[in-house]
Amino acid sequence: MEEEIFSADSIYEALNTKLIGKTVLYSPAVPSTMDVAREAVRNGAADGAVVITDHQTAGRGRLGRGWVSPPGVNLTFSIILYPKLEHLARLTLVACLAIARSIEEITFLETSIKWPNDVQIGGKKVSGVLVESDVAGDKVKSAIVGIAVNVNLDIEAIPEIADFATSLKHEIGIPVPRLTMLSALLSEFEKVYKDMRKGEPVQAEWKRRLNTLGRQVTVRCGRTVHKGIAEDVDQDGNLLLRLLDGKLELISAGDVTLKV
Ligand code: BTN
């Protein structure tokens, strides 16, 4: 594969979207695109603006974890949105579905979604989603959807994640052009986001792609641990957990870790 030039111009040229990525804010290196996006919101960033970098030096994941991404190999970006409150909880679902569809389009690999925010290949994490929002009363002032995809990461080079993570290159044995992957992902994101806003049933496909349902899981919410069978999910993506005593518990994605 020819070396790809990753820049604002090459990104604009690769995109086929109308809303998502209409504005692209690219920097070669930043600590976290979430923080750059937050600053961009303060400066009046447009709906659908994408903050993207080639090297995220202090990326963060859910629950205070870090996100490791060396330069030049992965996709790490944040999408700025101004959704209605009723759509906020569904943004993780929209992102995971877009990621799963686009990976399949570009690589023909089979993906699955581990509730609430992981996209996996063969049970290993290839992508993660982090949504941060600013809500005042019943109004969402802004939402930032952070997405990471391990595209051409050499998994063996990072032993601390090698047991549970993978990359597209690792799975198909050849490098995947990041701009092609980004373009497919943002196109799918735009489609799913628009469908979700129109009230179309995107949740059904997301649910079909979940690998969590019907399985025995341990859910950790802060200090509380629930064990049970992941029975169902609702329209907003919350998990319905059948506890060992037979009661049904609704678990929202917020502060949850899940062990399958
Ligand atoms: C997770 O699986 O815990 C979520 C990982 C999200 C990482 C992405 S990379 C782009 C954006 N910037 C960050 O600092 N985090 C998100």
Side-chain angles (χ1 to χ4, degrees):
M1 191 179 79
E2 267 176 49
E3 205 187 316
E4 271 190 307
I5 297 173
F6 214 58
S7 66
D9 283 350
S10 66
I11 291 168
Y12 275 122
E13 208 166 300
L15 300 188
N16 297 305
T17 42
K18 289 206 166 74
L19 172 72
I20 309 297
K22 192 159 182 267
T23 307
V24 172
L25 304 169
Y26 171 79
S27 312
V30 295
S32 163
T33 58
M34 300 306 278
D35 297 334
V36 179
R38 202 175 290 179
E39 185 59 29
V41 166
R42 278 196 283 271
N43 293 327
D47 195 25
V50 170
V51 175
I52 183 162
T53 187
D54 189 46
H55 185 203
Q56 192 171 241
T57 53
R60 56 176 184 271
R62 286 172 70 244
L63 308 169
R65 298 187 185 121
W67 186 272
V68 185
S69 188
V73 289
N74 290 331
L75 289 174
T76 49
F77 60 94
S78 298
I79 304 172
I80 296 170
L81 296 169
Y82 302 101
K84 289 187 181 158
L85 186 61
E86 73 227 53
H87 295 147
L88 182 60
R90 299 183 192 172
L91 293 180
T92 303
L93 181 161
V94 168
C96 286
L97 187 49
I99 295 163
R101 281 187 187 176
S102 55
I103 289 177
E104 291 182 4
E105 259 165 56
I106 299 300
T107 65
F108 301 105
L109 290 163
E110 197 180 319
T111 62
S112 58
I113 300 172
K114 181 184 166 199
W115 185 90
N117 75 318
D118 294 0
V119 178
Q120 298 187 326
I121 296 173
K124 291 193 167 185
K125 181 162 175 162
V126 70
S127 174
V129 175
L130 173 72
V131 178
E132 294 178 346
S133 58
D134 183 2
V135 180
D138 60 359
K139 196 171 171 345
V140 181
K141 291 165 91 182
S142 63
I144 299 172
V145 182
I147 295 178
V149 184
N150 292 338
V151 180
N152 293 319
L153 182 68
D154 281 321
I155 288 293
E156 302 77 20
I158 312 182
E160 62 270 30
I161 63 169
D163 281 350
F164 57 84
T166 190
S167 71
L168 301 180
K169 179 178 153 196
H170 185 80
E171 295 296 325
I172 60 171
I174 51 168
V176 173
R178 283 186 297 163
L179 291 172
T180 309
M181 188 60 228
L182 177 70
S183 171
L185 203 170
L186 294 186
S187 292
E188 285 298 344
F189 191 100
E190 182 161 294
K191 251 188 252 165
V192 183
Y193 184 59
K194 285 184 173 168
D195 285 349
M196 184 272 286
R197 286 198 305 187
K198 279 191 274 176
E200 288 184 21
V202 294
Q203 191 262 9
E205 183 185 336
W206 171 77
K207 180 174 165 180
R208 246 194 341 267
R209 289 173 176 273
L210 282 178
N211 60 18
T212 315
L213 296 185
R215 296 172 78 171
Q216 174 114 37
V217 297
T218 303
V219 184
R220 199 175 289 275
C221 311
R223 290 196 177 160
T224 315
V225 177
H226 301 287
K227 278 182 196 265
I229 303 286
E231 196 165 284
D232 206 352
V233 280
D234 70 11
Q235 285 300 318
D236 283 338
N238 299 311
L239 183 69
L240 293 159
L241 185 69
R242 182 69 64 184
L243 301 176
L244 301 179
D245 64 6
K247 283 191 199 132
L248 201 58
E249 180 94 18
L250 181 93
I251 316 265
S252 68
D255 303 317
V256 168
T257 51
L258 178 128
K259 241 188 173 155
V260 181

Short mmCIF file of all heavy atoms in Angstrom, two decimals, residues 32-34 56 58-62 67 76-78 117-118 125 128-130 146-148, ligand 1:
data_model
loop_
_atom_site.label_atom_id
_atom_site.label_comp_id
_atom_site.label_asym_id
_atom_site.label_seq_id
_atom_site.Cartn_x
_atom_site.Cartn_y
_atom_site.Cartn_z
N SER A 32 -5.97 14.52 23.46
CA SER A 32 -7.22 13.78 23.27
C SER A 32 -8.14 14.59 22.37
O SER A 32 -8.37 15.79 22.61
CB SER A 32 -7.91 13.55 24.61
OG SER A 32 -9.26 13.19 24.40
N THR A 33 -8.70 13.93 21.37
CA THR A 33 -9.64 14.65 20.47
C THR A 33 -10.90 15.06 21.23
O THR A 33 -11.60 15.98 20.80
CB THR A 33 -10.03 13.79 19.25
OG1 THR A 33 -10.62 12.57 19.71
CG2 THR A 33 -8.84 13.51 18.36
N MET A 34 -11.19 14.42 22.37
CA MET A 34 -12.38 14.80 23.15
C MET A 34 -12.19 16.23 23.69
O MET A 34 -13.11 17.04 23.68
CB MET A 34 -12.61 13.84 24.33
CG MET A 34 -12.83 12.39 23.97
SD MET A 34 -14.15 12.09 22.80
CE MET A 34 -15.60 12.11 23.83
N GLN A 56 -2.81 10.44 18.88
CA GLN A 56 -3.42 10.87 20.13
C GLN A 56 -2.51 10.40 21.27
O GLN A 56 -2.26 9.22 21.43
CB GLN A 56 -4.80 10.24 20.24
CG GLN A 56 -5.63 10.84 21.35
CD GLN A 56 -7.06 10.36 21.27
OE1 GLN A 56 -7.96 11.14 21.11
NE2 GLN A 56 -7.23 9.06 21.41
N ALA A 58 -2.71 11.16 24.68
CA ALA A 58 -3.30 10.85 26.00
C ALA A 58 -4.79 10.56 25.82
O ALA A 58 -5.65 11.17 26.44
CB ALA A 58 -3.09 12.02 26.96
N GLY A 59 -5.07 9.59 24.94
CA GLY A 59 -6.46 9.23 24.65
C GLY A 59 -7.11 8.62 25.87
O GLY A 59 -6.44 7.97 26.68
N ARG A 60 -8.42 8.83 26.00
CA ARG A 60 -9.09 8.20 27.13
C ARG A 60 -10.25 7.33 26.66
O ARG A 60 -10.91 7.60 25.66
CB ARG A 60 -9.56 9.23 28.15
CG ARG A 60 -10.44 10.31 27.65
CD ARG A 60 -10.88 11.19 28.83
NE ARG A 60 -11.82 12.19 28.40
CZ ARG A 60 -11.50 13.39 27.95
NH1 ARG A 60 -10.22 13.75 27.88
NH2 ARG A 60 -12.42 14.25 27.58
N GLY A 61 -10.47 6.27 27.46
CA GLY A 61 -11.59 5.37 27.21
C GLY A 61 -12.64 5.57 28.28
O GLY A 61 -12.59 6.54 29.04
N ARG A 62 -13.59 4.66 28.34
CA ARG A 62 -14.63 4.77 29.36
C ARG A 62 -14.04 4.47 30.73
O ARG A 62 -13.02 3.82 30.86
CB ARG A 62 -15.76 3.78 29.06
CG ARG A 62 -16.62 4.19 27.89
CD ARG A 62 -17.59 3.10 27.54
NE ARG A 62 -18.62 2.95 28.56
CZ ARG A 62 -18.78 1.87 29.31
NH1 ARG A 62 -17.99 0.84 29.17
NH2 ARG A 62 -19.75 1.81 30.20
N TRP A 67 -6.50 5.14 26.37
CA TRP A 67 -6.63 4.50 25.04
C TRP A 67 -5.32 4.69 24.30
O TRP A 67 -4.94 5.81 23.98
CB TRP A 67 -7.79 5.10 24.24
CG TRP A 67 -7.99 4.33 22.97
CD1 TRP A 67 -7.37 4.57 21.78
CD2 TRP A 67 -8.80 3.18 22.80
NE1 TRP A 67 -7.76 3.62 20.87
CE2 TRP A 67 -8.63 2.76 21.45
CE3 TRP A 67 -9.65 2.44 23.64
CZ2 TRP A 67 -9.29 1.64 20.94
CZ3 TRP A 67 -10.30 1.35 23.11
CH2 TRP A 67 -10.13 0.95 21.78
N THR A 76 -8.56 7.83 15.21
CA THR A 76 -8.98 8.36 16.51
C THR A 76 -9.59 9.73 16.25
O THR A 76 -8.91 10.64 15.76
CB THR A 76 -7.78 8.50 17.48
OG1 THR A 76 -6.71 9.17 16.82
CG2 THR A 76 -7.30 7.18 18.02
N PHE A 77 -10.88 9.84 16.51
CA PHE A 77 -11.55 11.11 16.22
C PHE A 77 -12.79 11.28 17.09
O PHE A 77 -13.26 10.33 17.73
CB PHE A 77 -11.92 11.20 14.73
CG PHE A 77 -12.86 10.12 14.25
CD1 PHE A 77 -14.22 10.34 14.22
CD2 PHE A 77 -12.37 8.90 13.83
CE1 PHE A 77 -15.10 9.35 13.78
CE2 PHE A 77 -13.23 7.90 13.38
CZ PHE A 77 -14.60 8.13 13.35
N SER A 78 -13.30 12.52 17.10
CA SER A 78 -14.51 12.84 17.85
C SER A 78 -15.46 13.60 16.94
O SER A 78 -15.03 14.47 16.18
CB SER A 78 -14.17 13.71 19.06
OG SER A 78 -13.31 13.03 19.95
N ASN A 117 -20.31 -0.69 24.36
CA ASN A 117 -19.61 0.24 23.44
C ASN A 117 -18.44 -0.36 22.69
O ASN A 117 -17.61 0.39 22.19
CB ASN A 117 -19.11 1.45 24.24
CG ASN A 117 -17.91 1.06 25.07
OD1 ASN A 117 -17.89 -0.01 25.67
ND2 ASN A 117 -16.88 1.88 25.07
N ASP A 118 -18.34 -1.68 22.64
CA ASP A 118 -17.19 -2.26 21.93
C ASP A 118 -17.63 -2.89 20.62
O ASP A 118 -18.68 -3.54 20.58
CB ASP A 118 -16.57 -3.42 22.74
CG ASP A 118 -15.93 -2.97 24.03
OD1 ASP A 118 -15.96 -1.77 24.33
OD2 ASP A 118 -15.42 -3.85 24.74
N LYS A 125 -11.53 -6.87 20.86
CA LYS A 125 -11.96 -5.49 20.62
C LYS A 125 -11.16 -4.83 19.50
O LYS A 125 -9.93 -4.78 19.56
CB LYS A 125 -11.80 -4.71 21.93
CG LYS A 125 -12.23 -3.26 21.86
CD LYS A 125 -12.44 -2.72 23.26
CE LYS A 125 -12.76 -1.26 23.28
NZ LYS A 125 -13.36 -0.82 24.54
N GLY A 128 -13.69 1.18 19.96
CA GLY A 128 -14.42 1.58 21.16
C GLY A 128 -15.05 2.96 20.96
O GLY A 128 -14.59 3.74 20.12
N VAL A 129 -16.10 3.20 21.71
CA VAL A 129 -16.86 4.46 21.59
C VAL A 129 -16.98 5.10 22.97
O VAL A 129 -17.25 4.41 23.96
CB VAL A 129 -18.27 4.17 21.03
CG1 VAL A 129 -19.12 5.44 21.01
CG2 VAL A 129 -18.19 3.57 19.64
N LEU A 130 -16.77 6.39 23.00
CA LEU A 130 -16.90 7.15 24.25
C LEU A 130 -17.76 8.38 23.96
O LEU A 130 -17.40 9.20 23.12
CB LEU A 130 -15.51 7.59 24.72
CG LEU A 130 -15.44 8.53 25.92
CD1 LEU A 130 -15.81 7.79 27.20
CD2 LEU A 130 -14.02 9.10 26.07
N GLY A 146 -16.68 10.07 20.71
CA GLY A 146 -15.29 9.70 20.44
C GLY A 146 -15.24 8.28 19.90
O GLY A 146 -15.86 7.38 20.45
N ILE A 147 -14.50 8.12 18.82
CA ILE A 147 -14.41 6.79 18.19
C ILE A 147 -12.95 6.46 17.94
O ILE A 147 -12.18 7.29 17.45
CB ILE A 147 -15.18 6.77 16.85
CG1 ILE A 147 -16.69 6.98 17.10
CG2 ILE A 147 -14.94 5.47 16.09
CD1 ILE A 147 -17.55 7.02 15.85
N ALA A 148 -12.59 5.22 18.28
CA ALA A 148 -11.24 4.73 17.95
C ALA A 148 -11.41 3.43 17.19
O ALA A 148 -12.22 2.58 17.59
CB ALA A 148 -10.46 4.48 19.24
C1 BTN B 1 -13.55 2.73 25.21
O1 BTN B 1 -13.61 1.68 24.60
O2 BTN B 1 -13.36 2.77 26.43
C2 BTN B 1 -13.73 4.01 24.43
C3 BTN B 1 -12.48 4.41 23.70
C4 BTN B 1 -12.65 5.71 22.96
C5 BTN B 1 -11.33 6.25 22.45
C6 BTN B 1 -11.56 7.42 21.54
S1 BTN B 1 -10.16 7.82 20.53
C7 BTN B 1 -10.90 9.30 20.03
C8 BTN B 1 -11.54 9.88 21.26
N1 BTN B 1 -10.55 10.63 22.03
C9 BTN B 1 -10.32 10.08 23.21
O3 BTN B 1 -9.52 10.53 24.07
N2 BTN B 1 -11.06 9.00 23.38
C10 BTN B 1 -11.90 8.73 22.23
#
